[in-house]
Amino acid sequence: MNSFFSVIISVYNKEQYIRDTLQSVLNQTYKDFEIIIVNDGSSDNSLSVLNQFDDARITIINQDNQGASQARNNGISRATGKFIALLDGDDLWDKTFLENIKTLIANHPEYSVFTTAIAHKYGDKISPVPYSFKATANVSILDYFKASERHTILSGSSTVFKKDILDVTGNFDTDIKSGQDTDLWIRIGLHYPIVFLNKVLVYYVQNQNSLSNTTTDLNNKSRFDNYKFEEKENVHLKKFLDNNRFSLALLAKLNKNKKAYKYYKSEISKKNLSLKRRFLLIAPIWLTKQFLKLRKVKNTKTYYPILDDTKSS
């Protein structure tokens, strides 16, 4: 008999985190799920940690290192559940996460994509994510792009969707090594509204070794060129893309990649950026670094690597 949820966990060198992550799934109050863990060629002791768990619901797939996109796609291809629940190998679920998602699905059977609020976890400090919309109800049906102007409402650990929507959206893009989540969220947002539960049930564990914090090669990130036509017709998509382009432009500037900086900057409609972001886009590198260091001191999630002053292109 197939499980209701298929929990997909991609793991690459997460030996310090994966035990707590997996235990947060096994502790769920709703029990009808399978767990498919794809060990993406870890070179640490992640696999040894995983092998210590003895639960019939766990399937471990070992593959050579092929990246998070291929790992997730491989896991999803083995899934038997009607609904896919994604979880990164270093994040945590509240014990009622799946129970709450199951209730959302039962109450909103006409929808296909579900998520909850998340919080960032910095050691013992928990910081709920500040979203760009004011939730007037416990459950909201949202346009992904309009609701994600400040922080995405979908994440690699809070998103649950009907498996068959991938027949429409396609799978994770294996050509994108970092930011593949965002690319899939865009395709989901173009086709499906999001059922959002305004309750923190997922904890993003701040890990300086995570892919988003270590991948600075812009060739491994999305250029968002696939959505040139759609953004002309969708102002909320255009604003969403421009704010992501801002992040990449800033990354290019910090890495002294003038060509990439010029490209991303030219694609942005400045009216879609806040005054602070407009300033950071043109500010001298030294001032931008000082701003980002201040954010780091405040334990605020930083999406742009803070480079050493001696680093050259």
Side-chain angles (χ1 to χ4, degrees):
M1 183 176 178
N2 295 342
S3 301
F4 189 82
F5 292 109
S6 291
V7 181
I8 310 298
I9 306 176
S10 171
V11 176
Y12 177 70
N13 290 352
K14 302 290 187 181
E15 63 175 319
Q16 296 181 16
Y17 305 95
I18 187 58
R19 184 186 306 277
D20 289 342
T21 297
L22 184 50
Q23 194 62 56
S24 78
V25 181
L26 295 175
N27 289 344
Q28 292 296 299
T29 55
Y30 183 82
K31 303 295 186 182
D32 187 10
F33 58 82
E34 64 176 350
I35 306 171
I36 301 176
I37 305 170
V38 184
N39 177 40
D40 187 32
S42 294
S43 58
D44 65 357
N45 292 317
S46 294
L47 183 58
S48 296
V49 174
L50 291 171
N51 284 332
Q52 294 173 19
F53 287 86
D54 182 17
D55 192 300
R57 293 170 295 181
I58 299 175
T59 298
I60 300 174
I61 301 171
N62 288 301
Q63 64 177 38
D64 293 336
N65 181 244
Q66 300 175 52
S69 290
Q70 189 61 59
R72 284 172 171 166
N73 289 344
N74 286 348
I76 291 171
S77 70
R78 294 278 295 273
T80 64
K82 182 178 180 180
F83 286 87
I84 302 296
L86 300 174
L87 179 59
D88 285 341
D90 50 6
D91 293 341
L92 303 170
W93 280 349
D94 180 271
K95 66 180 181 180
T96 65
F97 175 74
L98 288 180
E99 180 182 344
N100 276 275
I101 293 292
K102 180 65 168 61
T103 299
L104 287 182
I105 292 169
N107 292 340
H108 304 277
E110 69 274 31
Y111 293 101
S112 300
V113 185
F114 305 84
T115 193
T116 77
I118 72 170
H120 290 149
K121 188 175 187 297
Y122 309 89
D124 294 331
K125 180 182 177 182
I126 304 295
S127 298
V129 163
Y131 294 103
S132 57
F133 60 95
K134 184 177 181 179
T136 57
N138 192 40
V139 178
S140 303
I141 311 301
L142 302 173
D143 174 277
Y144 173 68
F145 307 113
K146 188 175 181 179
S148 299
E149 290 181 0
R150 187 172 181 183
H151 193 288
T152 176
I153 60 171
L154 296 179
S155 78
S157 295
S158 66
T159 303
V160 178
F161 55 82
K162 288 182 181 176
K163 184 180 180 181
D164 62 12
I165 73 167
L166 296 177
D167 294 334
V168 176
T169 66
N171 293 330
F172 286 98
D173 188 338
T174 56
D175 290 330
I176 303 173
K177 304 304 180 185
S178 176
Q180 64 272 26
D181 289 4
T182 299
D183 181 71
L184 181 57
W185 308 157
I186 291 170
R187 284 179 274 134
I188 286 175
L190 288 170
H191 295 281
Y192 300 98
I194 313 300
V195 181
F196 177 84
L197 176 62
N198 187 32
K199 183 177 182 180
V200 173
L201 295 174
V202 176
Y203 299 91
Y204 175 99
V205 177
Q206 182 69 1
N207 172 12
Q208 291 302 320
N209 294 319
S210 69
L211 189 62
S212 62
N213 287 325
T214 58
T215 303
T216 61
D217 186 352
L218 288 161
N219 292 323
N220 289 327
K221 296 180 180 290
S222 175
R223 287 168 58 92
F224 305 115
D225 291 344
N226 292 336
Y227 308 106
K228 289 290 185 72
F229 174 78
E230 288 85 355
E231 66 182 301
K232 291 179 181 179
E233 306 295 324
N234 187 326
V235 295
H236 299 299
L237 169 61
K238 171 62 175 170
K239 188 171 184 177
F240 175 85
L241 292 177
D242 282 350
N243 276 282
N244 278 274
R245 288 172 177 134
F246 161 81
S247 299
L248 295 173
L250 208 60
L251 178 61
K253 183 168 75 167
L254 291 169
N255 281 281
K256 301 178 182 178
N257 186 332
K258 294 181 179 179
K259 182 178 179 181
Y261 170 74
K262 184 177 180 180
Y263 171 77
Y264 287 115
K265 183 172 178 286
S266 69
E267 292 291 310
I268 297 171
S269 295
K270 292 182 177 58
K271 66 180 181 180
N272 286 331
L273 301 183
S274 66
L275 288 175
K276 180 173 69 178
R277 289 195 164 195
R278 292 184 208 178
F279 172 74
L280 286 173
L281 197 60
I282 61 174
I285 292 179
W286 68 266
L287 186 56
T288 302
K289 288 181 179 180
Q290 289 301 314
F291 171 81
L292 296 178
K293 286 179 181 178
L294 180 62
R295 286 174 63 88
K296 187 175 183 181
V297 168
K298 290 182 176 180
N299 270 339
T300 303
K301 179 170 171 59
T302 302
Y303 294 88
Y304 334 104
I306 301 171
L307 305 181
D308 186 271
D309 289 339
T310 61
K311 182 175 177 63
S312 59
S313 58

